[in-house]
Amino acid sequence: MKQAGGDGVVRHQPAPPTRFLRVRQDRGHTVLDFRGEIDVVAEVEVVPHLDAATSAPKCRVVIDLTRVEFLDASGLRLLYRARQRVLEQHGSLHLVCTDALTLRVLRITGLARLLPPRPTLDAALDQPEATPGPV
């Protein structure tokens, strides 16, 4: 807390969640719950939060796509960006996804090999800490 002009206290609050993302902690992991349509508009709002979650050494991150209705190339870029940043920090990144269309896109683009999707958050949180290396 900081004094503001001697009259009051200013509390530094974390950035509010965006309409496309909720960030929370679960069992020592930062969980990024993506929501709605993950497109170029969402990408602009999500990047600062994604970068914050993936900036710490040995960060442990789970991206949950179960509430995603649509994922385009911008969403794929977000996933790849998260993976690259986590690798640089020697952390771990896991993905949760159950939507057939999104899973198909992940398979076709090869991202499913780099970030094997798990069917539930519990399954992702129970995974070993290693994130697959560069391909």
Side-chain angles (χ1 to χ4, degrees):
M1 286 191 279
K2 286 182 157 182
Q3 290 290 357
D7 296 329
V9 175
V10 176
R11 296 177 194 262
H12 293 281
Q13 300 291 330
T18 77
R19 59 190 157 160
F20 304 106
L21 176 70
R22 299 292 181 270
V23 180
R24 60 191 172 86
Q25 296 297 312
D26 191 334
R27 293 175 254 175
H29 290 76
T30 301
V31 179
L32 304 173
D33 289 316
F34 285 39
R35 298 162 181 260
E37 296 184 5
I38 306 301
D39 56 14
V40 71
V41 173
E43 183 181 26
V44 172
E45 287 187 28
V46 168
V47 163
H49 301 282
L50 182 133
D51 286 356
T54 58
S55 64
K58 298 186 180 179
C59 54
R60 298 167 56 185
V61 179
V62 174
I63 296 178
D64 188 343
L65 301 179
T66 56
R67 291 178 183 84
V68 169
E69 299 163 7
F70 173 78
L71 184 84
D72 72 1
S74 300
L76 294 172
R77 269 194 309 271
L78 287 169
L79 297 176
Y80 190 76
R81 178 186 188 104
R83 182 181 176 275
Q84 288 302 111
R85 290 178 57 84
V86 167
L87 285 173
E88 290 168 4
Q89 298 300 330
H90 306 286
S92 67
L93 175 64
H94 301 289
L95 185 64
V96 179
C97 182
T98 57
D99 180 72
L101 183 57
T102 303
L103 288 168
R104 183 170 183 236
V105 169
L106 294 172
R107 279 192 302 274
I108 289 170
T109 60
L111 203 48
R113 280 179 309 156
L114 301 177
L115 287 172
R118 305 296 175 218
T120 66
L121 181 60
D122 285 334
L125 292 173
D126 291 338
Q127 291 301 303
E129 294 308 308
T131 299
V135 171

